[in-house]
Amino acid sequence: MTDQVDIANLLEELRTFEPPDEFRRNAVVSSDAIYDEADADYEAFWAGQAEAHVSWFKKWDTVLEWNAPFAKWFVGAELNVSYNCLDRHVESGYGDKVAYFWEGEPGDKKELTYKWLLDETCRVSNALKELGVRKGDRVAIYLGMVPELAPVMLACTRIGAPHTVVFAGFSADSLSGRINDASAKVLVTADGGWRRGAIVPLKENADEALKAAPTIEKVLVVRRTEQDVSMQDGRDVWYHDIVPNQSATCEPEHLDAEHPLYILYTSGTTAKPKGILHTTGGYLVGVAATHHLIFDLKRNEDVYWCAADAGWVTGHSYIVYGPLCNGATSIMYEGAPDVPDKDRLWDIAERYKATILYTAPTAIRTFMKWGTSFVEKHDLSALRLLGSVGEPINPEAWVWYQQVIGGGRCPVVDTWWQTETGAIMISPLPGITKLKPGSATFPVPGIGADVVNDKGESQPFGGAGYIVLTRPWPSMLRTVYGDDQRYIDTYWSKFEGKYFPGDGCKRDEEGYFWFLGRVDDVMNVAGHRISTYEVESALVDHETVAESAVVGRVGQDKAENIVAFVTLKGDVTGDEALLQELREHVSKKIGKIARPAMIIFTEDLPKTRSGKIMRRLLRDVAEGRPLGDVTTLANENVVEEIRDKAAARAGKEED
Ligand code: WTA
């Protein structure tokens, strides 16, 4: 029982969920013929989607040029993303339509119309040009969820300057690393951001980052939190000083379909994050088509809310580009879900009559913990569809979401995808798919996916292994920025001719996909990817640490926590104070999301005779399982010792 909901009983009753008749009748997709049509000729299918959802200045000569693993989509075509997201809607009479009901954490509210977004985007475009940004230059964006965010991103696309958005929760070090890798010329940031009533000091972090990021020539600063910040003469410019007096017209560049659109960094299995490169035409087709099909979007009726942060790919694809390209009305909320109280999201959903809500399992589990009373205070009867993304959703959370938030009537689309895939790859279509709580169901029309074993052999239904994608798709990453070899090695070398996402997956007897989590050293903490190696590097960077090994500990509810095993130098003692200091150190090096939930000091780490740390055993220890095979261990006693220490620390960890 979680509050008044009997989950076990519901799970028993809700083995499957069929779309309600009314939903099916009115759905964007109400017949499964779309799968056969897409499979018969996937290039033709995507070309059809490209015609339906995107306006092109110049049509393509060839739909796909595939020199595996390098793809070009809509070859020869020209378009502009901001034109598609703004101008054409205004031109067809939708200027006064609300693009975003924006709400700040302190309670301030704004209605951002398509006309306002277009004008502001043009003004920002002109301001960026004045600051020296030219087509092809990279612009870094380190902003919270402020009203200026979408105009800044769209302005970059208007002038053909690829952006790289850095999550506002990342540290100065993480910011400078990304700026340097992208060689960004201009940074757009704010004085600060609101988070749980406190100020995240964005400008201060940016100043720190820029000491080690020499490519930045100008910094454009949005005023949000209004505390004093230092402005460097000749480098820093207030947004309100140069944007409002720019012209509200700026011709959109006619860009090649393969022109770089943005770089977004994501953790891989080494310390250095990978710059995932997306390009213009294919990406826009992918996000617009999936947003329309999977969220069953009725442009003039729905109020759509993706409660993610634009610092992650979900925000790029399903807060900004997909919804705007489709002319949707969205909700954008700046802050935390428990300010001023734990019913903030439900209060917002009620006031704007949200019809579609898209959030992450980690958030759903938090709402479950808080209990149903916060939800019951509000009328959520406008909701008709729910979505989930970021990590496997445990069936208990699925059922709670469907029953308590969705009133038992809303389908839930569990959507599997990655920064690299750009758009949703595995998901139900809500008007036709019979749902099973905890399963992302089937590949999206046009997407080829399979489950294979170590040798790359397809596994029959009922089997488990690795998920692979078997065909190119329009919104696929084009490369790792500046590092084609890493692109080939990471994604295309494990299985010949197949894209390897790094996730384990099983398929049931009916062919439903059930995701099992990552199979590499990448953890998924509250829906965010962090590599064990990044956290280890941050720890050994501390003067007291000799060596460390980090593992992700997955609990009953599938939530993953960071557990660090640390050996200290010489005669340093591992006390409570040092433990807190190390946590803070990781937070400072990477960001708060990477702070270990548990740190265990140990004399030694379990290693093979060749000196390789045996993480498998550490994971067993962290998750409280009996130890697996220990015969290859060089130092047998050490695991016992670590296990005792871990048991002693259990219960003392950070929430
Ligand atoms: C995980 C987020 C199971 C997966 C869009 C993937 C999921 C990684 C799901 C990508 C889901 C995302 N079910 N696992 N519905 N959605 N994942 O790049 O491990 O931040 O590889 O993209 O999140 O995380 P990323």
Side-chain angles (χ1 to χ4, degrees):
M1 285 278 278
T2 306
D3 228 1
Q4 302 89 346
V5 188
D6 186 346
I7 300 275
N9 204 11
L10 281 172
L11 255 182
E12 200 52 44
E13 284 169 19
L14 251 187
R15 294 269 162 107
T16 61
F17 179 86
E18 296 271 4
D21 281 343
E22 200 199 329
F23 194 104
R24 184 193 298 263
R25 263 199 310 278
N26 298 321
V28 165
V29 182
S30 54
S31 148
D32 56 13
I34 189 172
Y35 288 104
D36 294 337
E37 183 208 324
D39 277 341
D41 185 345
Y42 71 90
E43 289 186 32
F45 172 76
W46 288 118
Q49 297 297 312
E51 302 263 11
H53 297 291
V54 172
S55 304
W56 305 81
F57 295 137
K58 180 167 172 261
K59 274 281 153 65
W60 52 89
D61 307 314
T62 314
V63 177
L64 169 67
E65 242 177 61
W66 180 228
N67 295 310
F70 296 97
K72 286 185 180 164
W73 282 87
F74 309 111
V75 183
E78 286 177 6
L79 75 159
N80 185 282
V81 167
S82 77
Y83 177 83
N84 273 278
C85 290
L86 306 172
D87 306 57
R88 63 174 181 152
H89 303 320
V90 175
E91 285 164 13
S92 56
Y94 287 91
D96 291 335
K97 190 180 171 174
V98 174
Y100 296 109
F101 288 112
W102 179 87
E103 191 156 319
E105 192 184 80
D108 41 345
K109 301 174 183 66
K110 280 184 181 160
E111 291 186 2
L112 315 182
T113 63
Y114 275 92
K115 175 76 169 101
W116 179 84
L117 268 185
L118 172 60
D119 291 351
E120 189 72 358
T121 296
C122 288
R123 286 188 286 260
V124 178
S125 302
N126 291 326
L128 288 175
K129 286 185 189 168
E130 190 181 315
L131 294 176
V133 179
R134 298 287 170 266
K135 180 175 159 184
D137 288 343
R138 271 79 59 216
V139 174
I141 302 175
Y142 185 55
L143 279 174
M145 296 279 285
V146 288
E148 294 81 358
L149 178 70
V152 169
M153 291 169 75
L154 290 160
C156 292
T157 74
R158 196 166 190 87
I159 63 180
H163 58 65
T164 183
V165 179
V166 180
F167 174 54
F170 273 132
S171 65
D173 275 5
S174 298
L175 175 60
S176 60
R178 286 158 173 77
I179 290 174
N180 289 333
D181 191 81
S183 304
K185 190 171 182 184
V186 163
L187 170 67
V188 185
T189 187
D191 48 359
W194 288 116
R195 194 70 192 170
R196 281 215 169 80
I199 291 174
V200 181
L202 295 175
K203 180 62 167 62
E204 203 181 308
N205 292 349
D207 287 339
E208 182 65 30
L210 293 186
K211 289 181 192 158
T215 58
I216 294 290
E217 294 171 11
K218 298 281 181 192
V219 183
L220 185 61
V221 188
V222 172
R223 186 144 72 191
R224 173 64 186 142
T225 43
E226 299 184 2
Q227 81 282 21
D228 280 341
V229 293
S230 72
M231 296 288 283
Q232 185 175 308
D233 250 4
R235 187 193 72 182
D236 301 350
V237 185
W238 283 109
Y239 185 99
H240 59 257
D241 280 344
I242 77 159
V243 174
N245 48 24
Q246 300 288 335
S247 151
T249 16
C250 171
E251 275 307 301
E253 289 279 338
H254 290 206
L255 298 169
D256 189 275
E258 283 299 328
H259 187 74
L261 179 65
Y262 69 77
I263 304 164
L264 184 60
Y265 286 84
T266 185
S267 293
T269 48
T270 70
K272 192 172 166 234
K274 297 173 291 211
I276 302 304
L277 179 73
H278 284 292
T279 58
T280 303
Y283 175 82
L284 195 64
V285 170
V287 297
T290 50
H291 182 255
H292 179 72
L293 298 172
I294 294 164
F295 294 107
D296 189 50
L297 186 79
K298 314 285 167 30
R299 162 183 176 151
N300 293 326
E301 293 156 35
D302 278 313
V303 177
Y304 161 87
W305 187 9
C306 169
D309 189 287
W312 310 103
V313 74
T314 305
H316 285 59
S317 299
Y318 297 110
I319 295 178
V320 181
Y321 295 118
L324 292 181
C325 188
N326 289 337
T329 293
S330 298
I331 295 170
M332 187 189 273
Y333 171 54
E334 177 186 39
D338 52 351
V339 178
D341 205 350
K342 297 187 174 69
D343 66 340
R344 182 67 183 266
L345 298 197
W346 319 125
D347 177 43
I348 293 174
E350 177 179 21
R351 274 187 287 111
Y352 299 109
K353 299 192 171 53
T355 60
I356 304 169
L357 176 67
Y358 190 30
T359 186
T362 179
I364 298 165
R365 285 191 296 264
T366 304
F367 304 143
M368 285 172 79
K369 256 184 250 159
W370 290 345
T372 54
S373 61
F374 295 101
V375 186
E376 283 161 358
K377 277 199 239 166
H378 298 279
D379 175 8
L380 300 182
S381 59
L383 277 176
R384 63 181 195 90
L385 177 63
L386 301 171
S388 172
V389 60
E391 54 185 322
I393 182 166
N394 48 315
E396 293 78 7
W398 194 105
V399 167
W400 189 91
Y401 193 32
Q402 207 271 342
Q403 292 288 313
V404 177
I405 307 300
R409 69 187 175 276
C410 304
V412 176
V413 287
D414 173 15
T415 62
W416 177 90
W417 58 295
Q418 309 180 295
T419 305
E420 292 87 338
T421 67
I424 297 168
M425 296 286 107
I426 312 279
S427 167
L429 293 178
I432 57 175
T433 311
K434 180 179 81 180
L435 307 175
K436 296 186 183 181
S439 168
T441 74
F442 305 109
V444 168
I447 299 302
D450 198 2
V451 172
V452 301
N453 66 7
D454 244 333
K455 296 193 198 97
E457 296 157 347
S458 180
Q459 296 302 287
F461 287 0
Y466 306 103
I467 181 167
V468 290
L469 300 179
T470 54
R471 307 169 184 150
W473 64 99
S475 64
M476 64 192 284
L477 77 164
R478 297 304 193 258
T479 189
V480 172
Y481 186 68
D483 198 346
D484 285 348
Q485 195 56 46
R486 194 167 175 199
Y487 169 68
I488 296 168
D489 292 346
T490 310
Y491 304 108
W492 298 95
S493 298
K494 190 163 171 78
F495 304 114
E496 175 79 36
K498 295 181 177 113
Y499 171 83
F500 172 62
D503 276 45
C505 190
K506 75 176 186 221
R507 251 183 323 197
D508 68 17
E509 302 293 343
E510 290 183 290
Y512 281 68
F513 286 67
W514 297 76
F515 284 91
L516 304 171
R518 304 282 313 182
V519 296
D520 51 13
D521 289 330
V522 176
M523 299 173 288
N524 187 328
V525 181
H528 303 317
R529 281 159 71 176
I530 300 163
S531 83
T532 53
Y533 195 88
E534 271 175 292
V535 182
E536 287 166 6
S537 308
L539 283 165
V540 296
D541 174 80
H542 192 271
E543 58 195 10
T544 62
V545 175
E547 195 174 25
S548 94
V550 167
V551 298
R553 176 189 53 187
V554 181
Q556 277 267 306
D557 59 1
K558 296 199 182 167
E560 193 162 356
N561 284 303
I562 303 179
V563 178
F565 299 86
V566 167
T567 62
L568 297 167
K569 282 182 189 158
D571 43 50
V572 182
T573 330
D575 55 14
E576 196 62 34
L578 180 58
L579 201 143
Q580 293 307 339
E581 192 178 321
L582 290 178
R583 266 192 195 138
E584 279 318 306
H585 188 71
V586 175
S587 182
K588 190 162 176 295
K589 293 299 289 184
I590 306 172
K592 206 169 160 191
I593 49 169
R595 197 156 60 169
M598 176 147 124
I599 295 181
I600 297 156
F601 293 118
T602 153
E603 302 286 304
D604 208 350
L605 292 168
K607 289 183 188 154
T608 61
R609 290 182 185 89
S610 60
K612 245 184 114 153
I613 295 174
M614 294 183 71
R615 292 165 187 288
R616 179 172 55 76
L617 291 180
L618 291 174
R619 215 167 287 131
D620 290 342
V621 170
E623 292 174 3
R625 262 194 309 273
L627 298 181
D629 184 8
V630 292
T631 48
T632 51
L633 262 185
N635 43 357
E636 276 177 38
N637 299 333
V638 67
V639 202
E640 293 300 324
E641 183 203 315
I642 293 177
R643 197 159 48 175
D644 293 346
K645 291 211 168 131
R649 270 226 71 80
K652 287 191 200 155
E653 60 206 80
E654 199 186 47
D655 203 1

